[in-house]
Amino acid sequence: GAWDMLKAYRDMREANYKDADKYFHARGNYDAAQRGPGGAWAAKVISDAREKWQSRVSGRGAEDTRADQEANEWGRNGGDPNRYRPAGLPSKY
C-alpha cells in the first residue's frame, strides 16, 4: 500500500496539474486499499501523517485538510477516484 501512495504522489508532482490534488489523494488511497486490509491501513497512516504535517507547514488551512481527508476516505473505501478528476488531466494518470 505504501508504494501505491508513493506512486500517486509522484504522479501528482509529475502532472503538476491545477486542481488535481484531490484526485491523486483518492487514487493513492484506492490503489492501496485494493491490496487488502494492510494496504488500507498503510494508506490511512500515511494520509493522516501527511495531512497533520501539511496543516502545520502549508498554511492551507483546516478546510483544505478536511477536503483532502474526504478524498482519502472516498478512495480508501472503494470510491471511484475519478469523482475528483479534473477536466483535461492527461489520460496517463
Side-chain angles (χ1 to χ4, degrees):
W3 292 112
D4 296 303
M5 299 294 288
L6 179 60
K7 172 131 178 50
Y9 177 75
R10 286 181 174 166
D11 284 350
M12 179 179 70
R13 299 288 299 209
E14 178 184 300
N16 193 28
Y17 199 85
K18 184 176 177 163
D19 298 326
D21 178 50
K22 306 302 181 265
Y23 166 74
F24 288 107
H25 277 268
R27 197 192 84 191
N29 277 269
Y30 177 87
D31 291 347
Q34 294 306 299
R35 296 186 182 279
W41 175 83
K44 179 163 178 39
V45 169
I46 291 166
S47 294
D48 289 350
R50 180 179 184 273
E51 291 308 319
K52 184 176 183 178
W53 175 82
Q54 186 176 344
S55 68
R56 287 183 302 184
V57 174
S58 75
R60 292 185 193 176
E63 180 58 28
D64 186 65
T65 295
R66 188 203 57 74
D68 284 350
Q69 286 289 45
E70 179 183 295
N72 292 335
E73 290 175 27
W74 175 262
R76 204 165 42 246
N77 289 324
D80 184 353
N82 288 311
R83 172 184 185 177
Y84 297 97
R85 184 181 192 87
L89 180 66
S91 61
K92 127 181 207 179
Y93 305 109

